[in-house]
Amino acid sequence: MSLYPVGIIGTGKYVPERILTNQELEQMVDTNDEWIVTRTGIKERRMAAADQATSDLALHASRQAIEAAGLTAEDIDLIIVATITPDMFFPSTACLLQHKLGAKQAAAFDLSAACSGFIYGLATGSNMVASGMYKHVLVVGAESLSRITDYTDRNTCILFGDGAGAVVLGQVAEGRGFRSFELGADGSGGELLKVEGGGSRVPATEESLASRRHYIHMAGNEVFKFAVRIMGSAAEDALKKAGMSKEDIDLLVPHQANIRIIQSAMNRLNLSEDKAMINLHNYGNMSAASIPVALAEAVEQGRVNEGDCLVLVGFGGGLTWGASVLVW
Ligand code: UT7
């Protein structure tokens, strides 16, 4: 039961300055710019500086989102950080961020749903506002994937980058805001995309380090097939729940993993090039940060107007997926 219409009232983003190009990767592993661009669409990605951790990236994006919402940090009631690269096991990155922001009134927790984490966070946060429990929720997707990427593995190291995106959720005018969420998981595919070292099953040992189990391992092709199937169907299911159709979409903001995956979703949804926000050539796959950074850039570029119908859709490790329909 929703007391208020809830929507996004401020967006923000931050990417680190250091750019890692395809040409640099050519010097590190057996790959080439042409393969990377044609197979993924990625040209460059960002890397956090040695003294930057995920909460530092999140801080910049959050400050921007809070300012855009016309609020101060003390107006935030809850902080949700979606990440698979927290600063440390605990305290949560959300607590570290709460302190850095000076958001003294806010409760704070992290959420783990890999690349779908930001959509899971929106669903959680928006329902807390809709129920009247909180007024303003800060939802952040932030990742330092360079810290868990194996730069000797050409199958994965070309894909990932670092960054953070944030939104503030709050009450909006009648007729606007979130219309539906479609969340899902298939734990049977957990083995396809994982970092197994350092947890309670494979604690850190000299052996776990030597066998590189603290880095991302991925069965790329299997994840690719899953992604192509789920991106279109999750978006369609969310539209159906919202009582809307493909023709209503003004802008698709997809997870930025691979241009071929995005194009297949666009084909299924009958969308022309101008109806999808694509920035993966600049940043690669930033997991939970990809969708909020793309959304913040769409807003910056004036591609989102009042009354527009947006579909956000993502997929990732877990396996997980999530889609949302909202009216801006
Ligand atoms: O956020 C969710 C996380 N993950 C994803 O979304 C990833 C989904 N998967 C993908 O995007 C694609 O599967 C990849 C981009 C990872 C790989 O593309 P692919 O078209 O599925 O290639 P493939 O894995 O089938 O490999 C084709 C060939 C192989 O060579 P052989 O066995 O055919 O001789 C690979 O060894 O390409 C080779 N290859 C490379 N060659 C040059 C794999 N990586 C590279 C590379 N440079 N970096």
Side-chain angles (χ1 to χ4, degrees), residues 29-32 35-36 39-40 115 153-160 193 218-225 227 255-258 260-261 285 287 315-317:
V29 287
D30 179 15
T31 191
N32 58 78
W35 191 96
I36 301 172
R39 303 309 289 168
T40 72
C115 310
D153 174 14
R154 72 174 183 173
N155 292 298
T156 54
C157 73
I158 56 150
L159 299 171
F160 300 113
L193 181 50
M218 180 175 69
N221 216 269
E222 294 302 309
V223 177
F224 187 90
K225 284 186 264 177
H255 176 46
Q256 312 279 319
N258 187 317
R260 293 183 291 142
I261 296 171
N285 180 348
S287 187
F315 66 92

Side-chain angles (χ1 to χ4, degrees), residues 14 85 90 134 147 288 299:
Y14 173 79
T85 47
F90 70 89
Y134 292 127
R147 301 283 155 73
V299 171

Side-chain angles (χ1 to χ4, degrees), residues 293-307:
V293 168
L295 178 64
E297 291 200 339
V299 171
E300 259 171 35
Q301 293 167 13
R303 292 186 63 179
V304 186
N305 301 304
E306 210 173 301

Side-chain angles (χ1 to χ4, degrees), residues 69-86:
L71 300 173
T72 68
E74 299 217 358
D75 297 317
I76 301 298
D77 303 306
L78 171 68
I79 300 172
I80 302 174
V81 176
T83 187
I84 51 166
T85 47

